Amino acid sequence: MLILLTKVKPIQVKPSSITQTDMNSTRFSLSQWLCVRTLSLVVIATTACCTGKAQGGPTPTDSVATHQEVTLLFAGDLMQHKPQIDAARRANGTYDYSGVFDEMAPEIQKADIAIANFEVTLGGPPFKGYPQFCAPDEYLQAAIDCGFDVLTTCNNHSVDTYARGINRTITMMDSLGVKHLGTYCDEADRAAKYPFLIEKNGIRICLLNYTYGTNGIPVPKPCVVNLIDTAVIARDIAKAKTMHPDVIIAIPHWGDEYQLLPNKAQRDLADWMFAHGIDHIVGGHPHVVEPIEVRAIGGEKHLLAYSLGNFVSNQSRPNTDGGTMVRLTLTKADGHTTLTDCGYTLYWVSRPVTSGKHNYRVLPSSYPSENLNATERTKRETYLKNTRALFAKHNIGIEEYAIDAK
Protein backbone atom coordinates (compact mmCIF):
# COMPACT_ATOMS: atom_id res chain seq x y z
CA MET A 1 0.00 0.00 0.00
CA LEU A 2 1.41 3.40 -1.02
CA ILE A 3 0.47 6.40 1.10
CA LEU A 4 0.86 9.90 -0.33
CA LEU A 5 1.10 12.04 2.78
CA THR A 6 -0.57 15.40 3.16
CA LYS A 7 -0.94 16.89 6.63
CA VAL A 8 -4.59 17.62 7.39
CA LYS A 9 -6.42 18.86 10.47
CA PRO A 10 -8.31 15.88 11.95
CA ILE A 11 -11.87 15.96 13.20
CA GLN A 12 -12.87 15.60 16.85
CA VAL A 13 -13.97 12.29 18.40
CA LYS A 14 -15.16 10.72 21.63
CA PRO A 15 -13.76 8.16 24.22
CA SER A 16 -11.80 4.76 24.11
CA SER A 17 -8.51 3.13 25.63
CA ILE A 18 -4.61 2.84 26.39
CA THR A 19 -1.28 1.03 27.58
CA GLN A 20 2.19 0.74 29.40
CA THR A 21 5.13 -1.81 29.47
CA ASP A 22 6.94 -4.67 31.14
CA MET A 23 9.42 -6.98 29.41
CA ASN A 24 11.50 -10.05 28.65
CA SER A 25 14.69 -10.37 26.63
CA THR A 26 14.36 -10.74 22.85
CA ARG A 27 15.12 -14.21 21.57
CA PHE A 28 15.79 -15.29 18.03
CA SER A 29 18.38 -17.43 16.18
CA LEU A 30 21.17 -15.59 14.37
CA SER A 31 23.97 -18.13 14.13
CA GLN A 32 23.50 -18.50 10.40
CA TRP A 33 24.20 -14.84 9.94
CA LEU A 34 27.43 -14.50 11.95
CA CYS A 35 29.61 -14.31 8.86
CA VAL A 36 27.41 -11.60 7.39
CA ARG A 37 27.48 -9.76 10.70
CA THR A 38 31.29 -9.67 10.72
CA LEU A 39 31.34 -8.08 7.30
CA SER A 40 28.51 -5.63 7.93
CA LEU A 41 29.43 -4.16 11.33
CA VAL A 42 31.57 -1.18 10.46
CA VAL A 43 31.23 1.67 12.90
CA ILE A 44 33.43 4.60 11.94
CA ALA A 45 33.52 7.26 14.61
CA THR A 46 35.43 9.63 12.37
CA THR A 47 32.73 9.70 9.71
CA ALA A 48 31.06 13.02 8.95
CA CYS A 49 28.81 13.80 11.89
CA CYS A 50 25.07 14.35 11.62
CA THR A 51 24.92 17.71 13.34
CA GLY A 52 21.18 18.23 13.79
CA LYS A 53 21.44 21.71 12.32
CA ALA A 54 18.30 23.70 11.57
CA GLN A 55 16.39 22.29 8.66
CA GLY A 56 15.92 24.36 5.54
CA GLY A 57 15.59 24.04 1.80
CA PRO A 58 18.47 22.95 -0.42
CA THR A 59 21.18 25.46 -1.24
CA PRO A 60 20.22 27.25 -4.45
CA THR A 61 22.24 25.79 -7.32
CA ASP A 62 21.72 25.07 -10.96
CA SER A 63 21.03 21.42 -10.08
CA VAL A 64 18.34 22.07 -7.45
CA ALA A 65 15.68 20.52 -9.66
CA THR A 66 17.40 17.12 -9.33
CA HIS A 67 17.30 17.22 -5.49
CA GLN A 68 14.40 16.17 -3.29
CA GLU A 69 14.33 16.28 0.49
CA VAL A 70 12.19 14.93 3.31
CA THR A 71 12.49 15.33 7.09
CA LEU A 72 11.42 12.50 9.41
CA LEU A 73 10.87 12.87 13.14
CA PHE A 74 10.70 9.83 15.45
CA ALA A 75 9.36 9.96 19.02
CA GLY A 76 9.24 7.24 21.67
CA ASP A 77 6.47 5.52 23.60
CA LEU A 78 3.08 7.19 23.98
CA MET A 79 2.04 5.63 27.30
CA GLN A 80 -1.16 6.14 29.28
CA HIS A 81 -1.06 5.02 32.88
CA LYS A 82 -4.08 5.27 35.16
CA PRO A 83 -2.95 8.59 36.73
CA GLN A 84 -2.72 10.07 33.23
CA ILE A 85 -6.25 8.92 32.47
CA ASP A 86 -7.49 10.33 35.78
CA ALA A 87 -5.77 13.68 35.14
CA ALA A 88 -7.48 14.01 31.76
CA ARG A 89 -10.97 13.04 32.96
CA ARG A 90 -13.55 15.82 33.14
CA ALA A 91 -16.76 16.00 35.16
CA ASN A 92 -18.92 15.27 32.10
CA GLY A 93 -17.12 11.96 31.48
CA THR A 94 -14.98 13.16 28.57
CA TYR A 95 -11.18 13.33 28.53
CA ASP A 96 -9.16 16.46 27.85
CA TYR A 97 -5.46 16.26 27.02
CA SER A 98 -5.00 19.99 26.48
CA GLY A 99 -1.50 21.14 27.27
CA VAL A 100 0.14 17.71 27.29
CA PHE A 101 1.87 18.12 23.92
CA ASP A 102 1.61 21.87 23.32
CA GLU A 103 5.29 22.62 23.88
CA MET A 104 6.40 19.82 21.53
CA ALA A 105 3.80 20.32 18.79
CA PRO A 106 5.68 22.98 16.76
CA GLU A 107 8.72 20.72 16.38
CA ILE A 108 6.58 17.68 15.54
CA GLN A 109 4.52 19.60 12.99
CA LYS A 110 7.66 21.00 11.36
CA ALA A 111 8.66 17.55 10.13
CA ASP A 112 7.37 16.24 6.82
CA ILE A 113 6.55 12.92 8.49
CA ALA A 114 6.34 12.48 12.28
CA ILE A 115 6.22 8.95 13.73
CA ALA A 116 5.66 7.62 17.28
CA ASN A 117 4.93 4.36 19.09
CA PHE A 118 1.31 4.25 20.28
CA GLU A 119 1.76 1.89 23.23
CA VAL A 120 -1.87 1.61 24.23
CA THR A 121 -5.00 -0.01 22.88
CA LEU A 122 -8.33 1.68 22.22
CA GLY A 123 -10.58 -1.10 23.43
CA GLY A 124 -13.34 1.16 24.76
CA PRO A 125 -14.42 1.66 28.40
CA PRO A 126 -13.60 0.82 31.12
CA PHE A 127 -10.25 2.57 30.71
CA LYS A 128 -7.26 1.05 32.48
CA GLY A 129 -3.58 1.60 33.03
CA TYR A 130 -0.87 -0.92 33.77
CA PRO A 131 -0.65 -3.86 33.29
CA GLN A 132 -3.24 -4.04 30.48
CA PHE A 133 -3.68 -0.63 28.95
CA CYS A 134 -6.92 0.70 27.54
CA ALA A 135 -7.03 4.42 26.79
CA PRO A 136 -9.74 6.94 25.88
CA ASP A 137 -10.18 7.78 22.21
CA GLU A 138 -9.37 11.40 23.02
CA TYR A 139 -5.77 10.35 23.64
CA LEU A 140 -5.45 9.28 20.01
CA GLN A 141 -6.97 12.58 18.92
CA ALA A 142 -4.42 14.47 21.03
CA ALA A 143 -1.57 12.57 19.39
CA ILE A 144 -2.93 13.45 15.96
CA ASP A 145 -3.55 17.08 16.85
CA CYS A 146 0.03 17.60 18.00
CA GLY A 147 1.26 16.47 14.60
CA PHE A 148 1.99 12.76 14.46
CA ASP A 149 1.36 11.39 10.97
CA VAL A 150 2.18 7.71 11.50
CA LEU A 151 1.71 5.58 14.64
CA THR A 152 3.22 2.16 15.21
CA THR A 153 0.94 -0.24 17.10
CA CYS A 154 3.21 -3.27 17.43
CA ASN A 155 4.56 -3.55 20.97
CA ASN A 156 4.29 -5.78 24.04
CA HIS A 157 0.94 -4.20 24.93
CA SER A 158 -0.72 -4.71 21.53
CA VAL A 159 -2.91 -7.52 22.89
CA ASP A 160 -3.79 -5.94 26.24
CA THR A 161 -7.49 -5.78 25.38
CA TYR A 162 -7.44 -8.84 23.15
CA ALA A 163 -9.07 -8.98 19.70
CA ARG A 164 -11.45 -6.11 20.49
CA GLY A 165 -8.54 -3.84 21.33
CA ILE A 166 -6.58 -4.72 18.20
CA ASN A 167 -9.55 -4.29 15.88
CA ARG A 168 -10.97 -1.19 17.55
CA THR A 169 -7.57 0.55 17.60
CA ILE A 170 -7.26 -0.05 13.87
CA THR A 171 -10.83 1.17 13.28
CA MET A 172 -10.29 4.36 15.29
CA MET A 173 -7.04 5.18 13.54
CA ASP A 174 -8.60 4.59 10.15
CA SER A 175 -11.63 6.73 11.03
CA LEU A 176 -9.42 9.64 12.08
CA GLY A 177 -7.12 9.35 9.09
CA VAL A 178 -3.86 8.62 10.90
CA LYS A 179 -1.57 6.12 9.20
CA HIS A 180 -0.49 3.10 11.24
CA LEU A 181 1.38 -0.19 11.04
CA GLY A 182 2.27 -3.22 13.13
CA THR A 183 -1.06 -4.90 13.98
CA TYR A 184 -3.74 -6.21 11.63
CA CYS A 185 -7.25 -7.67 11.69
CA ASP A 186 -6.11 -10.79 9.84
CA GLU A 187 -3.48 -12.08 7.41
CA ALA A 188 -5.29 -10.65 4.39
CA ASP A 189 -5.28 -7.21 6.03
CA ARG A 190 -1.54 -7.50 6.67
CA ALA A 191 -0.82 -8.70 3.13
CA ALA A 192 -2.67 -5.69 1.71
CA LYS A 193 -1.06 -3.06 3.97
CA TYR A 194 2.41 -4.35 4.83
CA PRO A 195 5.19 -3.49 4.29
CA PHE A 196 3.99 0.05 4.89
CA LEU A 197 5.02 2.49 2.15
CA ILE A 198 4.64 6.24 2.36
CA GLU A 199 5.73 8.85 -0.19
CA LYS A 200 6.55 12.48 0.49
CA ASN A 201 8.34 15.02 -1.70
CA GLY A 202 9.05 12.33 -4.25
CA ILE A 203 10.84 10.08 -1.73
CA ARG A 204 9.42 6.62 -1.05
CA ILE A 205 9.87 5.38 2.52
CA CYS A 206 9.10 1.84 3.64
CA LEU A 207 8.48 1.26 7.37
CA LEU A 208 8.66 -2.10 9.16
CA ASN A 209 7.54 -2.63 12.77
CA TYR A 210 8.04 -5.67 15.06
CA THR A 211 7.87 -6.58 18.77
CA TYR A 212 9.75 -9.14 20.87
CA GLY A 213 6.45 -10.39 22.39
CA THR A 214 3.06 -9.56 23.89
CA ASN A 215 3.61 -10.08 27.64
CA GLY A 216 2.61 -13.71 27.46
CA ILE A 217 -0.88 -13.02 26.13
CA PRO A 218 -1.47 -15.08 22.96
CA VAL A 219 -2.31 -13.12 19.84
CA PRO A 220 -6.02 -13.86 19.22
CA LYS A 221 -6.81 -15.35 15.84
CA PRO A 222 -7.30 -14.15 13.19
CA CYS A 223 -5.52 -10.95 14.37
CA VAL A 224 -1.86 -10.45 13.52
CA VAL A 225 0.86 -8.78 15.59
CA ASN A 226 4.27 -8.56 13.92
CA LEU A 227 6.64 -10.55 16.11
CA ILE A 228 10.44 -10.48 15.79
CA ASP A 229 11.33 -13.49 13.66
CA THR A 230 14.25 -13.18 11.25
CA ALA A 231 12.64 -15.53 8.72
CA VAL A 232 9.51 -13.34 8.60
CA ILE A 233 11.51 -10.13 8.58
CA ALA A 234 13.64 -11.41 5.69
CA ARG A 235 10.50 -12.10 3.65
CA ASP A 236 9.13 -8.65 4.52
CA ILE A 237 12.37 -6.97 3.44
CA ALA A 238 12.31 -8.89 0.15
CA LYS A 239 8.72 -7.78 -0.44
CA ALA A 240 9.58 -4.22 0.52
CA LYS A 241 12.35 -4.11 -2.08
CA THR A 242 9.86 -5.02 -4.83
CA MET A 243 7.97 -1.82 -3.93
CA HIS A 244 11.00 0.22 -5.01
CA PRO A 245 11.43 2.32 -1.87
CA ASP A 246 14.20 4.87 -1.58
CA VAL A 247 14.81 3.82 2.04
CA ILE A 248 13.65 1.04 4.36
CA ILE A 249 13.38 1.88 8.07
CA ALA A 250 12.81 -0.69 10.82
CA ILE A 251 11.09 0.22 14.10
CA PRO A 252 11.69 -2.71 16.50
CA HIS A 253 10.23 -3.02 20.00
CA TRP A 254 13.09 -4.75 21.79
CA GLY A 255 15.59 -4.75 24.63
CA ASP A 256 15.51 -4.85 28.42
CA GLU A 257 13.35 -2.44 30.37
CA TYR A 258 15.19 0.33 32.25
CA GLN A 259 18.61 -0.66 30.89
CA LEU A 260 20.62 2.23 29.42
CA LEU A 261 22.66 0.06 27.06
CA PRO A 262 21.43 -2.39 24.40
CA ASN A 263 21.64 -6.10 25.05
CA LYS A 264 23.31 -8.64 22.78
CA ALA A 265 20.03 -9.56 21.07
CA GLN A 266 19.48 -5.92 20.06
CA ARG A 267 23.03 -5.55 18.78
CA ASP A 268 22.86 -8.80 16.82
CA LEU A 269 19.49 -8.04 15.29
CA ALA A 270 20.62 -4.55 14.28
CA ASP A 271 23.66 -6.02 12.52
CA TRP A 272 21.45 -8.59 10.81
CA MET A 273 18.95 -5.94 9.65
CA PHE A 274 21.67 -3.73 8.17
CA ALA A 275 23.18 -6.74 6.40
CA HIS A 276 19.80 -7.57 4.85
CA GLY A 277 18.96 -4.16 3.44
CA ILE A 278 17.49 -2.07 6.26
CA ASP A 279 18.76 1.51 5.93
CA HIS A 280 17.90 2.93 9.36
CA ILE A 281 16.70 1.50 12.70
CA VAL A 282 14.76 3.39 15.38
CA GLY A 283 13.85 1.25 18.38
CA GLY A 284 11.92 1.44 21.61
CA HIS A 285 10.56 -0.44 24.64
CA PRO A 286 13.11 -0.03 27.49
CA HIS A 287 11.33 3.18 28.71
CA VAL A 288 14.72 4.83 28.94
CA VAL A 289 16.93 6.18 26.19
CA GLU A 290 19.74 4.05 24.83
CA PRO A 291 22.64 5.20 22.63
CA ILE A 292 22.31 6.50 19.09
CA GLU A 293 24.92 5.98 16.41
CA VAL A 294 25.49 6.75 12.76
CA ARG A 295 27.26 3.88 11.07
CA ALA A 296 29.22 4.05 7.85
CA ILE A 297 28.44 0.91 5.86
CA GLY A 298 29.40 0.60 2.22
CA GLY A 299 30.10 4.30 1.97
CA GLU A 300 26.62 5.26 3.22
CA LYS A 301 25.45 6.61 6.59
CA HIS A 302 22.90 4.55 8.52
CA LEU A 303 21.16 5.67 11.72
CA LEU A 304 20.72 3.27 14.65
CA ALA A 305 18.77 4.51 17.69
CA TYR A 306 18.40 1.63 20.13
CA SER A 307 15.69 3.28 22.25
CA LEU A 308 14.06 6.72 22.31
CA GLY A 309 12.56 6.17 25.77
CA ASN A 310 9.10 7.35 26.80
CA PHE A 311 7.48 10.25 25.01
CA VAL A 312 4.94 10.63 27.81
CA SER A 313 4.15 8.38 30.77
CA ASN A 314 3.59 8.37 34.53
CA GLN A 315 6.83 6.54 35.20
CA SER A 316 9.10 8.15 37.77
CA ARG A 317 11.96 5.72 38.34
CA PRO A 318 15.40 7.01 37.26
CA ASN A 319 15.73 7.93 33.57
CA THR A 320 12.08 7.13 32.69
CA ASP A 321 10.70 10.68 33.07
CA GLY A 322 12.05 11.92 29.75
CA GLY A 323 13.14 10.82 26.32
CA THR A 324 14.57 11.89 23.01
CA MET A 325 13.25 12.59 19.54
CA VAL A 326 15.41 11.91 16.48
CA ARG A 327 15.19 13.98 13.30
CA LEU A 328 16.49 12.75 9.95
CA THR A 329 16.89 14.54 6.64
CA LEU A 330 16.89 12.32 3.60
CA THR A 331 18.03 13.79 0.29
CA LYS A 332 17.43 12.25 -3.11
CA ALA A 333 19.77 13.37 -5.87
CA ASP A 334 19.82 11.84 -9.33
CA GLY A 335 17.77 8.90 -8.10
CA HIS A 336 19.97 8.11 -5.08
CA THR A 337 18.77 8.77 -1.52
CA THR A 338 21.15 9.40 1.39
CA LEU A 339 21.03 10.50 5.02
CA THR A 340 22.33 14.07 4.80
CA ASP A 341 21.54 15.37 8.29
CA CYS A 342 20.32 14.11 11.64
CA GLY A 343 20.13 15.16 15.26
CA TYR A 344 18.35 14.45 18.51
CA THR A 345 16.58 16.66 21.02
CA LEU A 346 15.78 15.92 24.67
CA TYR A 347 12.60 16.53 26.63
CA TRP A 348 11.25 15.91 30.12
CA VAL A 349 7.75 15.12 31.42
CA SER A 350 6.23 17.24 34.18
CA ARG A 351 3.62 15.34 36.22
CA PRO A 352 0.75 16.94 38.18
CA VAL A 353 2.09 15.48 41.43
CA THR A 354 5.22 17.60 40.93
CA SER A 355 3.92 20.65 39.09
CA GLY A 356 0.61 21.13 40.87
CA LYS A 357 -0.95 21.64 37.44
CA HIS A 358 -3.94 19.70 36.19
CA ASN A 359 -2.35 17.69 33.38
CA TYR A 360 0.92 16.14 32.30
CA ARG A 361 3.22 18.23 30.10
CA VAL A 362 6.02 17.15 27.76
CA LEU A 363 8.61 19.93 27.92
CA PRO A 364 11.66 20.43 25.67
CA SER A 365 15.08 20.83 27.28
CA SER A 366 14.97 24.50 26.25
CA TYR A 367 11.76 25.20 28.18
CA PRO A 368 12.44 28.22 30.45
CA SER A 369 13.55 27.19 33.94
CA GLU A 370 11.76 30.17 35.46
CA ASN A 371 8.46 28.58 34.39
CA LEU A 372 9.16 25.52 36.54
CA ASN A 373 8.98 25.16 40.30
CA ALA A 374 12.06 24.16 42.29
CA THR A 375 11.20 20.45 42.34
CA GLU A 376 10.54 20.40 38.60
CA ARG A 377 13.83 22.15 37.90
CA THR A 378 15.75 19.63 39.97
CA LYS A 379 14.09 16.61 38.40
CA ARG A 380 14.53 17.95 34.86
CA GLU A 381 18.19 18.81 35.40
CA THR A 382 18.84 15.35 36.82
CA TYR A 383 17.29 13.72 33.77
CA LEU A 384 19.14 15.95 31.31
CA LYS A 385 22.47 15.55 33.09
CA ASN A 386 22.21 11.74 33.17
CA THR A 387 21.11 11.47 29.55
CA ARG A 388 23.78 13.81 28.24
CA ALA A 389 26.45 11.90 30.13
CA LEU A 390 25.22 8.61 28.62
CA PHE A 391 25.14 10.04 25.11
CA ALA A 392 28.52 11.75 25.45
CA LYS A 393 30.07 8.38 26.27
CA HIS A 394 28.24 6.12 23.83
CA ASN A 395 26.74 8.08 20.91
CA ILE A 396 28.56 8.06 17.58
CA GLY A 397 28.21 10.63 14.81
CA ILE A 398 25.15 12.53 16.01
CA GLU A 399 24.65 15.69 18.07
CA GLU A 400 21.93 17.29 20.19
CA TYR A 401 19.90 20.21 18.95
CA ALA A 402 17.56 22.46 20.95
CA ILE A 403 13.93 23.26 20.18
CA ASP A 404 13.24 26.97 20.13
CA ALA A 405 11.34 27.83 23.28
CA LYS A 406 8.00 29.60 22.87
Side-chain angles (χ1 to χ4, degrees), residues 24-90:
N24 296 319
S25 291
T26 313
R27 291 184 173 86
F28 47 87
S29 176
L30 293 172
S31 58
Q32 62 211 39
W33 302 113
L34 288 180
C35 291
V36 178
R37 175 178 183 261
T38 302
L39 293 173
S40 68
L41 179 54
V42 183
V43 181
I44 302 178
T46 56
T47 190
C49 173
C50 286
T51 62
K53 62 180 180 289
Q55 302 297 314
T59 303
T61 67
D62 292 338
S63 61
V64 130
T66 67
H67 289 69
Q68 296 152 299
E69 185 176 281
V70 63
T71 58
L72 306 179
L73 187 76
F74 290 86
D77 302 334
L78 284 161
M79 309 297 294
Q80 189 73 176
H81 296 93
K82 186 61 163 55
Q84 293 173 270
I85 298 173
D86 293 342
R89 183 178 171 83
R90 296 298 176 260

Side-chain angles (χ1 to χ4, degrees), residues 14 37 59-60 192 305 320-321 334 338 401:
K14 42 183 190 194
R37 175 178 183 261
T59 303
T320 63
D321 55 345
D334 300 322
T338 57
Y401 71 94

Side-chain angles (χ1 to χ4, degrees), residues 310-358:
N310 293 323
F311 187 66
V312 64
S313 79
N314 184 58
Q315 291 188 318
S316 60
R317 61 191 297 168
N319 306 307
T320 63
D321 55 345
T324 184
M325 294 194 304
V326 171
R327 182 177 64 192
L328 313 181
T329 299
L330 304 176
T331 302
K332 185 176 182 179
D334 300 322
H336 184 64
T337 302
T338 57
L339 174 64
T340 53
D341 187 40
C342 60
Y344 65 89
T345 191
L346 302 179
Y347 50 85
W348 175 77
V349 178
S350 175
R351 300 185 299 151
V353 68
T354 303
S355 68
K357 298 183 182 298
H358 185 80

Side-chain angles (χ1 to χ4, degrees), residues 18-20 79-89 95 97 120 126-136 313-315 351-352 359-360:
I18 204 119
T19 249
Q20 195 260 345
M79 309 297 294
Q80 189 73 176
H81 296 93
K82 186 61 163 55
Q84 293 173 270
I85 298 173
D86 293 342
R89 183 178 171 83
Y95 293 82
Y97 292 93
V120 299
F127 306 124
K128 300 177 296 181
Y130 183 83
Q132 290 181 255
F133 296 99
C134 185
S313 79
N314 184 58
Q315 291 188 318
R351 300 185 299 151
N359 224 328
Y360 290 69

